């Protein structure tokens, strides 16, 4: 749920100790997971901005402000929500399915108990940007947005926020149930890393899923074209200085499962990591049972 503000001032300090104002371009209250809501501070940027001196420093200031100005942040968000009936209705629907019963309780969770994260909206996500993000302690997601103009028409191309989580999720599966990452694997890498070294890399994983993934399943690409093996996850770590991760398996848990092959629906073969639930995978016959 987007909470647009009038660039409410948040006091922070720069790396040389001078008092400075930080103005988030907006706040995004993510209600995807009923039991794990998250607050994001939004920063809109251009790829030609100084990645280190501007973008990186801004996210660093956000991280500091999320620790020092919690009360001001909560007051700002509550004030904006109180003005908007649609946001209040959406929150009521959320409360009906979650463990939270009111706005104060929800705000205390996402501001005081959890650490807010950041979203960078940018026209081009470069390797340099991801390198800087890898050095930051504040969890940061990137949304790439590009606009093309032809005459009087505009075409917007963007990567949906958490699109890899919610896209094609069956209506009978709640996002809170997602606990398994399904990774496509070619034969050589599958044999060497997945089977011998009990790990898999370099995987793009949504920051929101890092604490939720308990299992990893291997989808062997053609000619196998099926999910064949599954393992419990021991830990997930950053893969070098990138925005990708390495998943380590719990020793002795890698096992073959009943083959889950392609079904009748087209386009379901994973081209990149996708998410499902352990219980759904264990009773599935084809990929049609996992994704719409």
């Amino acid at each position: 749920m987007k909470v647009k503000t009038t660039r409410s001032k948040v006091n922070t300090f720069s790396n040389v100790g001078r008092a400075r104002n930080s103005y988030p371009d907006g706040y995004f209250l993510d209600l995807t997971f009923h039991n794990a809501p998250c607050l994001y501070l939004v920063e809109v940027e251009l790829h030609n901005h100084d990645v280190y001196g501007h973008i990186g420093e801004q996210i660093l200031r956000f991280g500091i402000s999320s620790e020092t100005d919690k009360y001001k942040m909560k007051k700002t968000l509550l004030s904006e929500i109180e003005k908007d009936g649609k946001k209040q209705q959406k929150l009521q629907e959320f409360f009906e399915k979650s463990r939270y019963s009111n706005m104060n309780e929800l705000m205390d969770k996402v501001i005081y108990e959890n650490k807010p994260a950041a979203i960078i909206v940018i026209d081009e996500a470069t390797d340099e940007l991801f390198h800087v993000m890898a050095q930051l302690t504040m969890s940061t997601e990137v949304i790439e947005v590009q606009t093309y103009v032809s005459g009087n028409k505009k075409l917007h191309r963007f990567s949906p926020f958490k699109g890899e989580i919610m896209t094609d999720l069956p209506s009978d599966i709640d996002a809170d149930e997602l606990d398994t990452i399904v990774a496509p694997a070619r034969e050589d890498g599958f044999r060497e890393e997945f089977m011998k070294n009990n790990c898999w890399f370099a995987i793009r994983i949504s920051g929101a899923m890092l604490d939720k993934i308990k299992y990893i399943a291997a989808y062997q690409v053609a000619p196998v074209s099926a999910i064949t093996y599954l393992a419990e996850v021991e830990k997930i770590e950053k893969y070098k200085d990138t925005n990708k991760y390495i998943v380590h398996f719990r020793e002795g848990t890698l096992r073959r499962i009943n083959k889950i092959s392609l079904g009748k629906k087209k386009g379901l073969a994973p081209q990149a990591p996708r998410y499902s639930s352990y219980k759904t995978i264990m009773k599935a016959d084809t990929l049609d049972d996992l994704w719409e």
Side-chain angles (χ1 to χ4, degrees):
M1 182 181 72
K2 183 178 180 182
V3 182
K4 186 176 181 181
T5 70
T6 55
R7 296 181 68 83
S8 174
K9 181 167 69 175
V10 180
N11 294 322
T12 66
F13 295 88
S14 71
N15 58 358
V16 293
R18 293 179 291 118
R20 188 165 184 172
N21 294 326
S22 178
Y23 300 88
D25 291 310
Y27 297 92
F28 184 83
L29 182 56
D30 181 19
L31 305 178
T32 302
F33 303 104
H34 297 110
N35 295 324
C38 182
L39 177 65
Y40 290 87
L41 282 66
V42 181
E43 173 73 0
V44 180
E45 289 289 352
L46 295 173
H47 78 278
N48 56 5
H49 286 173
D50 183 354
V51 175
Y52 297 92
H54 179 76
I55 300 178
E57 183 182 346
Q58 184 75 339
I59 299 302
L60 178 61
R61 291 202 300 269
F62 285 171
I64 296 172
S65 69
S66 67
E67 291 295 326
T68 60
D69 285 319
K70 295 178 184 291
Y71 173 76
K72 186 176 295 184
M73 194 180 302
K74 178 179 177 180
K75 184 178 179 181
T76 297
L77 291 172
L78 287 175
S79 175
E80 292 296 325
I81 291 171
E82 288 173 358
K83 300 175 185 177
D84 194 320
K86 290 183 178 180
K87 289 185 176 63
Q88 293 174 32
Q89 177 61 37
K90 189 173 184 64
L91 284 164
Q92 286 303 318
E93 295 171 359
F94 171 78
F95 292 144
E96 292 174 2
K97 297 181 180 180
S98 76
R99 67 179 67 171
Y100 309 100
S101 58
N102 57 63
M103 272 302 303
N104 273 305
E105 188 177 359
L106 177 61
M107 288 294 105
D108 286 346
K109 175 65 177 180
V110 299
I111 295 177
Y112 288 93
E113 294 184 33
N114 293 349
K115 287 188 175 181
I119 295 175
I120 298 176
V121 181
I122 195 166
D123 59 332
E124 182 181 348
T126 63
D127 290 339
E128 188 178 30
L129 173 63
F130 288 122
H131 175 74
V132 171
M133 289 171 52
Q135 314 307 314
L136 300 173
T137 57
M138 189 176 199
S139 177
T140 307
E141 303 276 355
V142 173
I143 298 179
E144 197 173 48
V145 178
Q146 297 171 339
T147 299
Y148 302 89
V149 180
S150 177
N152 295 325
K153 296 182 179 180
K154 290 184 178 181
L155 176 65
H156 302 286
R157 176 181 177 273
F158 63 95
S159 51
F161 179 65
K162 289 191 178 177
E164 76 279 18
I165 297 177
M166 302 305 295
T167 300
D168 301 329
L169 189 67
S171 58
D172 60 341
I173 297 181
D174 192 283
D176 290 292
E177 299 177 32
L178 300 177
D179 60 8
T180 304
I181 186 167
V182 180
R186 298 185 181 279
E187 183 64 21
D188 52 352
F190 173 74
R191 293 296 176 189
E192 188 65 30
E193 301 298 336
F194 213 98
M195 298 298 292
K196 292 183 181 180
N197 294 333
N198 271 327
C199 69
W200 192 246
F201 62 89
I203 312 175
R204 292 185 185 275
I205 302 177
S206 170
M209 289 297 299
L210 289 174
D211 294 331
K212 300 180 182 300
I213 297 174
K214 298 178 181 178
Y215 305 92
I216 181 170
Y219 173 82
Q220 291 184 254
V221 301
V224 178
S225 301
I227 296 175
T228 54
Y229 280 81
L230 183 141
E232 294 181 23
V233 172
E234 174 70 29
K235 61 181 177 179
I236 301 175
E237 298 178 314
K238 277 281 190 179
Y239 181 66
K240 300 181 178 180
D241 287 336
T242 71
N243 66 321
K244 298 180 181 180
Y245 294 87
I246 178 170
V247 178
H248 298 276
F249 310 163
R250 192 179 302 278
E251 190 70 30
T253 64
L254 178 63
R255 68 188 190 276
R256 180 185 288 274
I257 62 175
N258 292 332
K259 187 176 180 180
I260 305 174
S261 304
L262 289 172
K264 297 180 179 180
K265 299 176 184 176
K266 296 181 179 180
L268 291 187
Q271 304 299 315
R274 302 180 71 173
Y275 303 99
S276 187
S277 71
Y278 175 82
K279 69 176 185 179
T280 302
I281 287 176
M282 296 310 294
K283 64 182 181 182
D285 294 317
T286 71
L287 297 187
D288 291 353
D289 300 318
L290 302 184
W291 303 297
E292 295 288 353

